[in-house]
Amino acid sequence: MPLHHYRPPPNHGGITSTPQQQVTHQPPAMDVLSQLRHQLADYTNSLHRDGFLDDQFSQLQQLQDESSPDFAMEVVSLFFEDCQKLVTNMARALELQAVDFKQVDSSVHQLKGSSSSVGAARIKNLCVAFKTCCDSQNRDGCMRCLQEVNRECVLLKNKLQTLFRLEQQIISAGGSIPM
Amino acid sequence: MESCNCIEPQLPPDELLSKYQYISDFFIALAYFSIPLELIYFVKKSAVFPYRWVLVQFGAFIVLCGATHLINLWTFTIHSRNVAIVMTTAKILTAVVSCATALMLVHIIPDLLSVKTRELFLKNKAAELDREMGLIRTQEETGRHVRMLTHEIRSTLDRHTILKTTLVELGRTLSLEECALWMPTRTGLELQLAYTLRQQNPVGYTVPIHLPVINQVFSSNRAVKISPNSPVARLRPLAGKYPGEVVAVRVPLLHLSNFQINDWPELSTKRYALMVLMLPSDSARQWHTYELELVEVVADQVAVALSHAAILEESMRARDLLMEQNVALDLARREAETAIRARNDFLAVMNHEMRTPMHAIIALSSLLQETELTPEQRLMVETILKSSNLLATLINDVLDLSRLEDGSLQLDLGSFNLAAVFREVINLIRPIASVKKLLVTLHLAPDLPEYAIGDENRLMQTLLNVVGNAVKFSKEGSISITAFVAKAESLRDPRAPDFFPVPSDNHFYLRVQVKDTGSGINPQDYPKLFTKFAQSQSLATKNSGGSGLGLAICKRFVHLMDGHIWLESEGLGKGCTAIFMVKLGIAECCTESKLPAATKAGMNHARTDFPGLKVIVMDDNGVSRMVTKGLLVHLGCDVTGVSSGDECLRLISQDHHVLFIDVCMHDGYEVARRVHEKLTKRHERPLTVALTANSDKATKDQCRRVGMNGVVLKPVSIDKMRSVLSDLLEHRILL
C-alpha cells in the first residue's frame, strides 16, 4: 500500500496550544477591553477547534445571567471534583489483581455523562475508548486510558482556569460576560 | 179349308232344331232383360258416370232386342196375327233404337277413348311422383345419417375417437365392406395407413404421396371413384371375384393458422388425409350420387372436428405450460424473498458488527495520533486512519445504498445555510485539488436563497461525491462549480423526458453544474455510470480507487429530493460536466446558527419561558444534574434535583408538572412506573421525560412501555429544552 506523504493541516494562524501567547496583530488605538475580548474570543475558538470543548460548553455559558453569573464556573468545578474522585476510584480498582471491570465501567459511564454534560469533548471521546477497553477486559488498555484521562483532565483544568481568568479580567475592566 | 189369320212359319218345323232355337231365344231374352237391370243397378251405384242417357239408350235397345227374341218364341208354332204384329212392332222399334244408338256411339266412343288416355297419363304421373317421393325419402335419410354421423363425430374432442367414429358410422350407414384413412407422415412425402374399419391394428403401410391417383383425389373436393387396384385400395386380399367400387375423398387437415380473423378458412392448406371407401364385393351395388354427397359432407365435418380437437390440444398444452411456469415463478419468488430476507438479516448484523470495530479502530487510531510518535510511526498511523476512514465510508455507502434501495431511507429535513454547504465542500476538496494543481472555482448566483430547507448532510454528500469525481478524473486544469436557481425553461433536460419539475411557491430548484477538464466520458459508458459497482476500465481510473457506488448513491439521494442528475461529456479527453437539480424548500427566516462562539443569550425573555413550572430532575450524576437544573432554572422553572429513586418518590406529588429521569440509572424505569402507580389520575399526573445518552429503538420502546411521555437525548441545549417543554405542555407527549 503506498504511503501518502503526511501533510499537517494548514495552520490558520492565531493561537495554538500554549495559552499565554498574545494576539499577533495589535492595532495601536485598540481599547484594552476590546483587546481582552478578542483574546477571549480567540482563546475560546481555539479550545473549540482543538476539541477541548464543544457546543455543550457554550450552552453552559449561555445559562449564565444576572442571578447565576458563575454558573459555568460552578459546574466546571464540580465536574473536576467529580473527575478527580472517579479517577482515584478507577486507579484503585485497576491496581487490584482481580480487577472489577464492572465497577470501572460504571465509573467510566459516570465520567462520560459528566463530561458530556459539561462539554468536555476530548474527555468524552476518551471515555468511549475507555469503555471499549473495559468491555474487552483489557487491563493494560484501561490503565493507559486512565492515564490519558488524567492527563486530559489536568490539561482541561488549566485551560479553563485561563479562560475564566480572562473572563474575570474583562469583568474587572468594566465589560460583561457574555459578550 | 178356311183361311185362318194364323201365320205359318216359312219352313216346316223341324222338331229338334226348333226346340233348340226356342231354348236359345229364351235365354237370350233372359240375358237381354237382365243386362239392363245390371247396368241400371251399377250405374245407380256409381255416382260419376257422365253418359247416363246413353245407358238408357242402350237399355232400351237391349230391352227391345230381348223383347224381340221373346216374342220370337211364339212364332215357332202357329201363331195368330196379333203376335206377328207385336213381333213386327218390336222389331221395328228395336231397329230404330239400335240405329239411334249406333249413331250415338260415333260421338261417344272417341270421348271414351280419350278418358282412357288421360287415365294412363295420370297413372304415369303417379308413378313418377312415387319415384320422386322415394328419392326425397332417400335424401332425407341420407341427411339424417349425415347429422347423426356429424353428431357422433363432433361429440368428442379426441382425435382418435373422431376418426374411428367416422369410419364406423360411415361403414354402417353405407354398408361398406372396408373403410380406411390414410394420414400424411411428418415428412409429408408419404401417406400412412392410420385407421381401418375391419382390421384392428393396421400395420404401417405407406404409399408415396405423389401417385397420380392420389393427386387426382387431392385436387378436387369431391368424392372421386378410383380403381380398386390402386395401391390405396388394395388393403386386404380380395374376398370375392369382383371387387366393389371404391371411392376416395380428401380430408383437409386444418391448422389454427388457416382461420383468419374475418375470413373463412382458406383451403390453401396442403395437408390432406385420404379416406377410401369400398363397397362390398360381388354385389351389384353402385355408388349413388347421394352417397357420394354424404361422403363429401362427412369428410368436411371430419376436417372441422379434427381442427377443433387440435385447438383443444393446443390450449390444454398451453395451459399445462402456464401452470408449470406459474409453479416455477412461485418458486423463484419464494427464493427471491428468502434471499432478500437473508440479505436484510446479513445487513442488520453487519450494520452493527462492522461498525463497532470500525469505530474502535478509528477512535484508537485518532488517539494514537495524539501521542508522541516518531515521524515514521506517524506516517503509519496516518495511513491506518486514512484506510479505516475509507473503509468506514465504504461500509456506510454500502449500507446506505441498501437502505436507499429498500426505500426505508428518509431525508432529514432541516433548515441550513446553502452557501455554507458549498464552502465546506470546497474546503474539503481543496487539499487534494491543490496537490493535483487543479484550480477550483465556485460561483453562487446572487439570487440563491441564503437558507434553504432540505437534507443538508445528503446534499453535501452528493455535492462532495460529484466534485470528488471531478477532481479524481482530472489530471490537470480546473474545476468550476456553479450554482443557481433553475428557471422554468431550463428545468427540462432532453435526456430525461420523464422529469417534469414543477416549481411552486415554497420550493425552488437548485441547479448545480460541476465542470471539469478531465478525461471525459466515453459515450458507450454512459448507461453504466450510475450503475452500482460498475466502473469503466480506462487506464486513467486505474489508480483512483473507489467502489463505484458514489454516483449510484448520489442518484438515489437526488431522486429522493425530487430532482435529477446527469452527466454531459463531449467524449474522451474533452472533460465532463456533472449537472444535478434538486428541489429545496425556501426558508422563511434564518434559524439557529451552529457557531461555537457564544451567542447573545436572550437574557430578558429566558426567565419568563415557563414561569412557575415545577420540575423534578432525577440524575445520580452530580454534574449532569446540576447542568440540567441550571438549564431549567434558566428557563424559569422551579426545579428540584434528586439523586436517587427513593428521594424522588418521596418528593413527587401532583403539584409537580414535569419529571426528568436519567434512565441510565439502574432504577430509572422502575421509578417512572412507581410514579405512575402512585399518581394515577392522568390529568393531574406529572409528565415524565427520559434523559438518555442513546436514542435507539430499544430505549424508546422501554420508555413507552413504562408510560413515559417523552425521550430527550443528552446533552440538552437550551433551545432543545425549550422546545421539549413547550411540546410537552401543549401535546402532553413527545415520543
Side-chain angles (χ1 to χ4, degrees):
Chain A
M1 184 177 313
L3 293 177
H4 296 279
H5 179 60
Y6 169 70
R7 268 170 167 265
N11 208 331
H12 292 295
I15 300 172
T16 51
S17 40
T18 49
Q20 307 299 335
Q21 197 169 350
Q22 293 288 328
V23 173
T24 43
H25 74 280
Q26 198 172 336
M30 206 57 148
D31 203 4
V32 169
L33 192 57
S34 319
Q35 193 181 335
L36 281 174
R37 281 221 173 102
H38 260 115
Q39 213 172 336
L40 181 63
D42 284 336
Y43 191 58
T44 316
N45 281 344
S46 78
L47 284 182
H48 278 280
R49 210 174 35 242
D50 292 337
F52 283 104
L53 299 173
D54 61 20
D55 266 355
Q56 183 60 15
F57 187 73
S58 343
Q59 294 284 327
L60 284 184
Q61 285 184 314
Q62 284 178 52
L63 290 177
Q64 285 183 160
D65 53 21
E66 289 153 346
S67 26
S68 48
D70 295 324
F71 183 67
M73 196 154 38
E74 283 165 15
V75 173
V76 164
S77 320
L78 185 60
F79 168 67
F80 283 122
E81 274 174 36
D82 218 21
C83 195
Q84 199 57 44
K85 241 189 302 192
L86 287 170
V87 165
T88 320
N89 280 346
M90 284 195 273
R92 213 178 296 140
L94 284 172
E95 263 158 35
L96 295 176
Q97 239 352 60
V99 180
D100 184 0
F101 281 105
K102 275 214 170 2
Q103 193 189 350
V104 177
D105 189 65
S106 77
S107 301
V108 171
H109 185 77
Q110 285 274 1
L111 188 60
K112 183 165 166 234
S114 308
S115 55
S116 70
S117 302
V118 162
R122 277 201 184 182
I123 299 181
K124 188 182 78 176
N125 290 339
L126 278 177
C127 289
V128 173
F130 202 152
K131 197 164 163 49
T132 319
C133 294
C134 275
D135 288 339
S136 49
Q137 308 222 335
N138 181 356
R139 185 159 174 268
D140 293 327
C142 287
M143 293 287 287
R144 271 200 299 275
C145 285
L146 186 62
Q147 281 167 13
E148 275 289 325
V149 166
N150 210 7
R151 199 171 71 92
E152 278 298 321
C153 275
V154 168
L155 204 58
L156 187 63
K157 196 168 181 184
N158 285 338
K159 291 198 186 297
L160 286 175
Q161 274 171 353
T162 314
L163 188 85
F164 289 131
R165 203 174 30 246
L166 270 173
E167 283 188 354
Q168 285 298 98
Q169 281 176 346
I170 289 175
I171 289 175
S172 40
S176 60
I177 304 289
M179 307 174 271
Chain B
M1 172 118 76
E2 300 313 285
S3 76
C4 60
N5 269 347
C6 307
I7 310 282
E8 285 185 7
Q10 267 44 28
L11 296 172
D14 195 341
E15 295 293 332
L16 195 64
L17 285 171
S18 302
K19 207 191 279 182
Y20 280 126
Q21 275 189 359
Y22 186 85
I23 293 169
S24 310
D25 270 333
F26 176 72
F27 274 110
I28 285 168
L30 197 62
Y32 270 137
F33 278 127
S34 57
I35 284 172
L37 285 174
E38 284 169 14
L39 268 176
I40 290 168
Y41 174 71
F42 282 113
V43 164
K44 266 219 161 62
K45 274 263 175 166
S46 89
V48 189
F49 192 71
Y51 302 107
R52 264 184 199 227
W53 83 279
V54 170
L55 275 174
V56 167
Q57 254 183 330
F58 259 116
F61 166 65
I62 290 168
V63 162
L64 284 170
C65 274
T68 311
H69 281 283
L70 192 65
I71 294 167
N72 209 24
L73 289 176
W74 275 268
T75 57
F76 280 109
T77 52
I78 302 207
H79 50 278
S80 66
R81 194 184 169 90
N82 291 343
V83 171
I85 290 170
V86 168
M87 180 76 192
T88 314
T89 321
K91 276 198 178 160
I92 291 168
L93 276 174
T94 307
V96 167
V97 172
S98 50
C99 286
T101 308
L103 282 172
M104 196 65 45
L105 280 175
V106 172
H107 293 288
I108 288 174
I109 287 180
D111 272 349
L112 283 174
L113 280 178
S114 77
V115 163
K116 263 292 179 208
T117 327
R118 236 177 285 142
E119 197 185 305
L120 202 62
F121 176 68
L122 280 171
K123 244 203 281 201
N124 281 345
K125 260 278 184 251
E128 210 177 287
L129 277 171
D130 261 342
R131 266 202 305 278
E132 279 189 8
M133 270 290 288
L135 219 63
I136 289 173
R137 239 182 269 123
T138 324
Q139 275 180 348
E140 197 188 323
E141 229 173 75
T142 312
R144 204 161 39 82
H145 278 136
V146 168
R147 270 196 301 281
M148 185 193 53
L149 257 167
T150 313
H151 175 75
E152 288 294 322
I153 291 169
R154 299 279 285 272
S155 67
T156 168
L157 283 171
D158 175 43
R159 176 186 262 251
H160 295 283
T161 321
I162 288 173
L163 291 169
K164 215 52 191 159
T165 315
T166 312
L167 296 182
V168 162
E169 290 298 324
L170 265 180
R172 210 179 52 205
T173 311
L174 300 172
S175 317
L176 299 172
E177 177 181 4
E178 180 59 273
C179 195
L181 189 74
W182 298 79
M183 300 280 281
T185 56
R186 222 165 262 288
T187 57
L189 296 173
E190 291 183 324
L191 283 179
Q192 188 180 27
L193 182 62
Y195 304 92
T196 58
L197 185 56
R198 310 284 173 204
Q199 289 172 331
Q200 288 308 107
N201 298 310
V203 183
Y205 295 128
T206 56
V207 293
I209 206 169
H210 290 296
L211 291 179
V213 60
I214 297 177
N215 280 339
Q216 185 197 3
V217 175
F218 280 179
S219 58
S220 116
N221 61 349
R222 318 229 32 181
V224 174
K225 290 204 188 115
I226 61 173
S227 153
N229 291 325
S230 57
V232 290
R234 258 182 298 159
L235 291 176
R236 37 199 271 158
L238 292 173
K241 237 169 122 181
Y242 300 105
E245 286 195 346
V246 180
V247 145
V249 70
R250 72 177 187 186
V251 180
L253 296 173
L254 298 168
H255 291 286
L256 198 55
S257 52
N258 290 121
F259 291 89
Q260 309 298 317
I261 301 294
N262 290 322
D263 302 335
W264 289 110
E266 296 172 357
L267 290 181
S268 58
T269 167
K270 291 294 193 295
R271 277 175 49 98
Y272 298 109
L274 188 74
M275 198 154 56
V276 175
L277 309 154
M278 283 175 249
L279 287 179
S281 45
D282 285 343
S283 76
R285 263 185 69 184
Q286 295 221 321
W287 282 100
H288 297 144
T289 325
Y290 75 88
E291 287 171 342
L292 292 179
E293 280 169 8
L294 181 104
V295 166
E296 283 157 25
V297 167
V298 166
D300 277 336
Q301 289 297 321
V302 164
V304 173
L306 281 177
S307 65
H308 283 184
I311 290 172
L312 179 75
E313 260 178 54
E314 260 319 306
S315 78
M316 299 266 304
R317 210 183 11 244
R319 192 195 64 170
D320 285 338
L321 203 63
L322 266 175
M323 272 175 47
E324 260 177 61
Q325 280 180 342
N326 269 353
V327 168
L329 273 174
D330 205 27
L331 190 65
R333 183 179 57 91
R334 264 183 279 127
E335 275 177 20
E337 276 177 7
T338 317
I340 288 177
R341 257 201 305 273
R343 185 201 67 172
N344 286 343
D345 289 340
F346 170 76
L347 281 176
V349 165
M350 293 317 267
N351 192 359
H352 185 258
E353 298 300 328
M354 278 171 39
R355 282 197 160 131
T356 313
M358 259 345 289
H359 284 153
I361 294 173
I362 292 176
L364 291 172
S365 320
S366 321
L367 281 177
L368 194 56
Q369 235 184 356
E370 304 293 329
T371 63
E372 296 290 327
L373 296 170
T374 68
E376 278 166 6
Q377 285 176 324
R378 192 165 283 280
L379 227 63
M380 291 185 220
V381 172
E382 284 288 325
T383 313
I384 293 173
L385 205 53
K386 214 171 279 220
S387 313
S388 23
N389 273 329
L390 264 168
L391 193 57
T393 313
L394 175 62
I395 292 171
N396 283 337
D397 275 356
V398 170
L399 292 167
D400 253 351
L401 196 62
S402 344
R403 267 199 307 152
L404 275 175
E405 288 188 324
D406 285 347
S408 57
L409 191 72
Q410 280 171 327
L411 296 176
D412 300 323
L413 297 176
S415 189
F416 61 93
N417 186 330
L418 204 53
V421 169
F422 286 96
R423 277 199 288 273
E424 180 127 0
V425 167
I426 298 270
N427 284 340
L428 283 169
I429 214 71
R430 211 185 282 279
I432 309 176
S434 60
V435 163
K436 286 178 123 176
K437 300 213 181 8
L438 296 167
L439 177 65
V440 179
T441 56
L442 170 67
H443 176 69
L444 300 175
D447 63 348
L448 215 54
E450 198 182 343
Y451 287 91
I453 299 178
D455 190 336
E456 182 187 7
N457 280 333
R458 304 244 158 78
L459 181 64
M460 199 185 309
Q461 205 175 337
T462 308
L463 190 60
L464 193 56
N465 202 301
V466 169
V467 173
N469 276 349
V471 169
K472 204 187 337 181
F473 289 101
S474 304
K475 282 193 282 198
E476 58 191 3
S478 65
I479 315 275
S480 83
I481 306 169
T482 43
F484 49 94
V485 175
K487 300 290 177 292
E489 319 80 56
S490 67
L491 283 177
R492 291 290 311 280
D493 166 39
R495 273 197 228 242
D498 48 353
F499 177 56
F500 288 104
V502 179
S504 65
D505 281 339
N506 297 333
H507 296 98
F508 70 99
Y509 277 88
L510 171 72
R511 185 178 163 123
V512 177
Q513 283 174 199
V514 178
K515 188 163 158 48
D516 69 54
T517 56
S519 51
I521 302 171
N522 196 337
Q524 291 168 338
D525 287 336
Y526 189 80
K528 277 200 299 171
L529 276 173
F530 290 94
T531 321
K532 288 186 292 181
F533 304 116
Q535 280 186 303
S536 64
Q537 297 299 314
S538 64
L539 287 168
T541 65
K542 218 168 29 165
N543 299 322
S544 52
S547 60
L549 278 179
L551 276 179
I553 294 185
C554 287
K555 187 172 177 184
R556 294 282 158 78
F557 284 154
V558 165
H559 280 170
L560 272 176
M561 296 191 227
D562 289 333
H564 189 61
I565 180 170
W566 70 96
L567 298 174
E568 287 173 1
S569 167
E570 293 177 24
L572 279 172
K574 296 205 177 88
C576 167
T577 308
I579 307 173
F580 68 89
M581 285 200 282
V582 290
K583 185 174 170 186
L584 297 172
I586 304 176
E588 279 115 25
C589 58
C590 72
T591 55
E592 57 179 291
S593 58
K594 294 197 184 157
L595 301 171
T599 49
K600 290 198 187 4
M603 272 199 303
N604 297 325
H605 75 272
R607 291 266 171 172
T608 57
D609 271 316
F610 303 99
L613 192 73
K614 287 188 77 140
V615 182
I616 295 188
V617 173
M618 183 176 110
D619 192 339
D620 56 355
N621 185 321
V623 176
S624 301
R625 193 171 62 240
M626 188 172 170
V627 171
T628 314
K629 189 169 165 187
L631 195 57
L632 289 163
V633 162
H634 185 75
L635 292 172
C637 307
D638 173 8
V639 190
T640 319
V642 297
S643 61
S644 73
D646 295 329
E647 206 179 325
C648 175
L649 288 167
R650 226 188 4 254
L651 285 179
I652 191 90
S653 76
Q654 283 161 322
D655 297 331
H656 292 101
H657 300 109
V658 188
L659 168 63
F660 283 96
I661 301 180
D662 178 358
V663 292
C664 300
M665 286 171 65
H666 62 276
D667 57 351
Y669 294 112
E670 179 64 28
V671 168
R673 215 174 46 76
R674 295 263 289 277
V675 164
H676 286 143
E677 274 175 28
K678 187 173 166 190
L679 307 163
T680 48
K681 286 200 217 132
R682 273 190 77 95
H683 59 278
E684 283 169 5
R685 198 167 62 190
L687 299 159
T688 42
V689 180
L691 288 170
T692 171
N694 58 332
S695 70
D696 61 352
K697 202 165 177 295
T699 314
K700 283 195 177 144
D701 283 341
Q702 177 76 335
C703 294
R704 207 177 287 130
R705 233 174 290 140
V706 294
M708 304 191 87
N709 299 96
V711 175
V712 176
L713 205 55
K714 279 205 291 191
V716 196
S717 69
I718 301 174
D719 294 306
K720 179 90 179 126
M721 186 59 91
R722 198 182 286 129
S723 76
V724 161
L725 285 175
S726 55
D727 276 341
L728 210 58
L729 293 172
E730 197 178 314
H731 306 121
R732 288 193 71 89
I733 194 143
L734 198 58
L735 281 165

